[in-house]
Amino acid sequence: MITSKIIANGILRALLLITFCSLALLFFYKIQSVLLYLIISLIVTLIGNPILDFFRKRMKFNHLFATVSTLLLFVLLIFGFIMMFVPLIISQGENLSLLNTNSIEKNITQLINQITIFLENHQLDLSTLWNEANIGSKINFNIIPNFLNSILNTVSSVGVALGSIMFITFFFLKDRLMFINSAKKLIPDKHEEKILNSLNKINILLSRYFLGLLLQLFIVFVMYLIVLLIFGVENALVIAFLCAVLNIIPYIGPLIASVLAAILTMLSNLGSDFQSEILPTTIYVLIGFWIVQIVDNNISQPLIFSKSVSSHPLEIFLVILSAGFLFGIVGMVVAVPFYTIIKVIGKEFFPENQLIKLLTKDL
């Protein structure tokens, strides 16, 4: 028989559970920066594990010295990128007047006028459409400087973030055996072997995946840079780097990179004749970028990713596509690592399932 006391206790427990969940969500929201540092540190650790093993096994370094050497290598790479790109980004910003709203509007208006003259010469009237729609007044040119100002404000916290990530990564690399032994004490004995095997396999596969991702981005960066240098685009190094970074977003990133490259190419050539210089150069750059993307999508990306996570290229494509429909761009970025984790766990805990057997036959 249900009494008022039972109902009251049930309501009280529900309220306590809701309160606890709300406080937990609020807590995680407040420490979201710390959680982000932990996630980035885990990724850096996965990338650093093979380097650490190389120093220990091949170079015969002791564990502490190998850990310090691995972190020092990361620091040197970061410092090298900063020294290489910050002056160029500042130069690019000055050249394109990115921090000056009036200059942005003037440059874009000048570019549109050149495009309009070109189209009118080919019996296409863009100016009427532009004026009737009053598009110019609807564009908020403050978006670009406001965005850049927010980046500049964020730069002040980059030092703290890098320091925190490097500090956490140091202990992840140095004390990984201690963390594993501590985890053993929390794992039920009947599942200990399966869980530890899963963690070891996940560590190996994700380390290979993130190293493969870096290799793929580097290959794309070099090919983009070659295209831009061939056609004499100013600040080719910065444009190639920004476009290569966008390739982290599968399939959509390269399209955004092409648009970005086209805009920066046209803005970098303002003052030149549109029909004879700006338009041909932009078209050649776009063709070059599309060739790079064809090579990347059909050769380097499937080869690197399929080898790193032991999955068929079509399998990876379908996983990324599905994740994109379900969770958007973030889903596409994390799809392959998350799918790899699920496959490893499935193979360890459900080895007799026919579907899992089919999907994990190469693991």
Side-chain angles (χ1 to χ4, degrees):
M1 180 178 179
I2 300 176
T3 64
S4 59
K5 184 177 181 180
I6 295 174
I7 295 174
N9 287 336
I11 294 173
L12 182 61
R13 282 196 297 269
L15 289 174
L16 288 173
L17 179 61
I18 293 171
T19 302
F20 175 78
C21 292
S22 300
L23 290 173
L25 289 173
L26 178 63
F27 173 74
F28 287 126
Y29 175 77
K30 292 293 185 181
I31 64 165
Q32 57 182 311
S33 296
V34 177
L35 296 176
L36 181 62
Y37 296 164
L38 285 170
I39 293 171
I40 296 174
S41 297
L42 283 172
I43 294 174
V44 176
T45 301
L46 290 170
I47 296 172
N49 277 331
I51 302 172
L52 177 67
D53 291 336
F54 172 81
F55 282 131
R56 288 180 60 242
K57 296 176 181 178
R58 298 292 180 90
M59 305 297 291
K60 305 301 181 184
F61 291 175
N62 63 47
H63 186 71
L64 179 60
F65 191 46
T67 302
V68 173
S69 300
T70 303
L71 278 182
L72 182 61
L73 181 61
F74 282 129
V75 171
L76 290 174
L77 287 173
I78 293 170
F79 181 74
F81 275 116
I82 292 173
M83 294 302 294
M84 181 182 299
F85 289 108
V86 167
L88 290 171
I89 291 172
I90 293 173
S91 173
Q92 182 76 7
E94 292 173 350
N95 288 341
L96 300 180
S97 302
L98 290 178
L99 296 178
N100 188 319
T101 305
N102 293 328
S103 295
I104 296 171
E105 187 170 0
K106 179 182 177 182
N107 288 343
I108 292 178
T109 302
Q110 180 182 345
L111 180 61
I112 291 171
N113 288 337
Q114 289 181 320
I115 295 173
T116 301
I117 293 171
F118 171 76
L119 293 176
E120 286 176 349
N121 291 335
H122 292 78
Q123 288 75 48
L124 295 171
D125 189 3
L126 181 65
S127 58
T128 302
L129 176 62
W130 177 268
N131 293 327
E132 288 179 355
N134 200 19
I135 295 173
S137 63
K138 296 177 182 178
I139 297 175
N140 182 10
F141 292 99
N142 287 309
I143 291 176
I144 298 176
N146 288 342
F147 174 70
L148 289 173
N149 288 332
S150 67
I151 292 177
L152 293 174
N153 292 331
T154 305
V155 168
S156 60
S157 62
V158 168
V160 175
L162 286 177
S164 301
I165 291 167
M166 290 295 105
F167 185 79
I168 297 170
T169 304
F170 172 77
F171 287 103
F172 279 173
L173 290 169
K174 175 179 173 291
D175 299 325
R176 59 181 178 178
L177 292 178
M178 184 191 74
F179 291 135
I180 292 173
N181 291 331
S182 299
K184 286 181 180 179
K185 298 176 183 178
L186 302 175
I187 298 172
D189 292 337
K190 62 179 181 179
H191 298 307
E192 180 178 322
E193 184 179 356
K194 290 180 179 179
I195 292 175
L196 292 178
N197 285 340
S198 297
L199 290 174
N200 183 56
K201 190 70 174 179
I202 288 169
N203 176 59
I204 293 172
L205 289 174
L206 291 187
S207 295
R208 286 163 47 184
Y209 169 76
F210 287 115
L211 285 171
L213 180 62
L214 290 177
L215 176 61
Q216 185 245 346
L217 294 181
F218 177 74
I219 292 172
V220 169
F221 164 70
V222 171
M223 290 193 290
Y224 280 161
L225 181 60
I226 291 172
V227 170
L228 294 171
L229 290 176
I230 288 175
F231 298 110
V233 178
E234 293 182 8
N235 299 301
L237 201 62
V238 176
I239 298 174
F241 176 73
L242 294 175
C243 293
V245 169
L246 286 169
N247 276 261
I248 292 176
I249 306 172
Y251 308 114
I252 295 177
L255 296 177
I256 300 173
S258 296
V259 175
L260 178 64
I263 293 172
L264 292 177
T265 299
M266 286 191 289
L267 290 175
S268 296
N269 287 284
L270 278 179
S272 303
D273 181 70
F274 182 80
Q275 182 168 349
S276 63
E277 295 187 33
I278 297 178
L279 182 61
T281 302
T282 304
I283 292 174
Y284 294 148
V285 167
L286 282 175
I287 292 173
F289 269 51
W290 292 335
I291 292 173
V292 170
Q293 290 161 20
I294 289 171
V295 172
D296 179 55
N297 291 334
N298 293 282
I299 300 176
S300 60
Q301 189 177 111
L303 183 63
I304 292 171
F305 287 171
S306 62
K307 294 294 182 183
S308 63
V309 295
S310 302
S311 297
H312 193 276
L314 179 59
E315 187 180 349
I316 292 174
F317 172 77
L318 293 176
V319 167
I320 292 173
L321 194 63
S322 301
F325 281 120
L326 292 172
F327 306 108
I329 291 176
V330 175
M332 297 178 76
V333 173
V334 302
V336 175
F338 188 71
Y339 178 64
T340 302
I341 293 172
I342 292 176
K343 283 179 63 176
V344 171
I345 294 174
K347 184 170 185 178
E348 285 295 331
F349 286 89
F350 309 100
E352 300 304 319
N353 183 281
Q354 293 301 317
L355 177 61
I356 291 176
K357 273 186 176 181
L358 178 65
L359 295 175
T360 61
K361 60 182 179 179
D362 295 325
L363 283 178

